[in-house]
Amino acid sequence: MKLDILAFGAHPDDVELGCGGTLAKEIALGKKVGIVDLTRGELGTRGSVELRNEEAAAAAKILGVSVRENLDMRDAFFVNDEAHQLKIIEMIRKYQPEIVICNAIDDRHIDHGKGSKLVSDACFLSGLMKIETEHKGEKQQAWRPKLVYHYIQWKNITPDFVVDITGYNDKRIEAILAYGSQFYNPNSNEPETPIASKNFLDSLNYRAQDLGRLIGVDYAEGFTVERYLGVNSLGDLI
Ligand SMILES: [Zn+2]
């Protein structure tokens, strides 16, 4: 299956938190979108792997993505080496996306910056014909995405561009809250974590509103890029 956009996250919920509104909007515009999670978030303080799997499937359904896969890398301990790059290359060649979106380039959780560089490196390597990979016994063709974007997570990173997600913020929040074990719930007996605080839950809306405010819309999500953004005409940026 060929996809237009493939979004990677080190943990299930990274993609929803980083670019859920953008993906919901692109899907509504007719784009085919998939999600690949690197790990199952098995070291997360709250919840369990089984619960997280169910939550990830529910969130994928809410967003309307065509496919969601998990590469079963080790939470916190995966590294950016040949074996891990080849697993990502196999996904890129399988789905042949024009655009790849991946983790924040730098963040509080060490997997985010690490996952960001791993996916970015694999996007480049995937275009080299002499790197041979197979999927289900069949030799794969080289494929390099045209663009690699990075979403923004815990830290406030200045975006290179923002996407207007007005009209899609409710769906974004619904997909995030599908991870009931991870976020603020005053009735939960699980340990406190930074992302389970009320402050973090509130930040999901106020950051999107703030990024939206700066471009004159209600809600937006921000991204960073790896090369200059090119436009055909000045009007493209209105
Ligand atoms: Zn994460």
Side-chain angles (χ1 to χ4, degrees):
M1 184 201 303
K2 170 153 174 34
L3 297 174
D4 298 300
I5 300 169
L6 189 55
F8 287 85
H11 315 109
D13 80 12
D14 286 359
V15 168
E16 287 83 354
L17 287 165
C19 62
T22 301
L23 296 188
K25 182 173 185 178
E26 293 292 342
I27 290 164
L29 293 172
K31 294 286 194 298
K32 281 186 94 72
V33 175
I35 297 175
V36 174
D37 301 310
L38 305 189
T39 77
R40 295 194 183 271
E42 65 270 21
L43 297 182
T45 305
R46 292 161 72 114
S48 63
V49 168
E50 294 70 28
L51 191 52
R52 203 81 174 262
N53 287 343
E54 287 170 21
E55 292 169 345
K61 207 166 168 190
I62 291 164
L63 291 178
V65 297
S66 302
V67 66
R68 180 168 213 148
E69 298 217 33
N70 195 298
L71 295 180
D72 281 315
M73 293 180 183
R74 285 185 68 207
D75 192 6
F77 295 106
F78 70 82
V79 293
N80 183 1
D81 66 3
E82 180 179 351
H84 291 79
Q85 288 160 356
L86 287 172
K87 280 186 140 193
I88 310 250
I89 291 169
E90 190 184 328
M91 289 293 112
I92 294 167
R93 290 177 174 179
K94 178 179 177 184
Y95 292 115
Q96 305 185 334
E98 312 301 328
I99 296 172
V100 161
I101 310 179
C102 56
N103 282 104
I105 51 172
D106 176 42
D107 216 14
R108 185 182 72 87
H109 197 305
I110 60 165
D111 282 353
H112 295 168
K114 197 170 47 167
S116 173
K117 185 77 168 72
L118 167 60
V119 172
S120 174
D121 288 352
C123 285
F124 172 76
L125 295 173
S126 178
L128 299 180
M129 287 192 328
K130 289 184 179 172
I131 295 179
E132 295 187 359
T133 55
E134 283 187 1
H135 181 70
K136 291 188 175 163
E138 284 199 24
K139 196 169 177 297
Q140 293 185 300
Q141 298 295 312
W143 183 270
R144 183 174 293 145
K146 290 190 178 72
L147 293 160
V148 180
Y149 299 139
H150 301 263
Y151 44 80
I152 296 168
Q153 301 190 251
W154 181 266
K155 287 188 182 177
N156 283 331
I157 293 173
T158 302
D160 294 321
F161 71 94
V162 299
V163 176
D164 175 8
I165 59 161
T166 307
Y168 298 91
N169 192 57
D170 287 349
K171 186 166 271 202
R172 162 183 174 257
I173 296 293
E174 189 188 345
I176 291 169
L177 294 181
Y179 294 88
S181 67
Q182 299 301 304
F183 302 114
Y184 178 66
N185 174 358
N187 300 317
S188 172
N189 295 321
E190 296 238 55
E192 271 290 323
T193 70
I195 63 165
S197 67
K198 174 137 188 337
N199 194 327
F200 182 72
L201 186 65
D202 292 344
S203 77
L204 300 178
N205 276 315
Y206 68 63
R207 178 191 269 164
Q209 286 179 298
D210 198 43
L211 290 173
R213 176 181 65 83
L214 294 166
I215 59 162
V217 302
D218 288 340
Y219 297 95
E221 283 173 328
F223 297 87
T224 61
V225 299
E226 299 191 352
R227 65 157 171 80
Y228 290 145
L229 292 172
V231 293
N232 282 321
S233 76
L234 295 179
D236 291 347
L237 286 174
I238 291 172

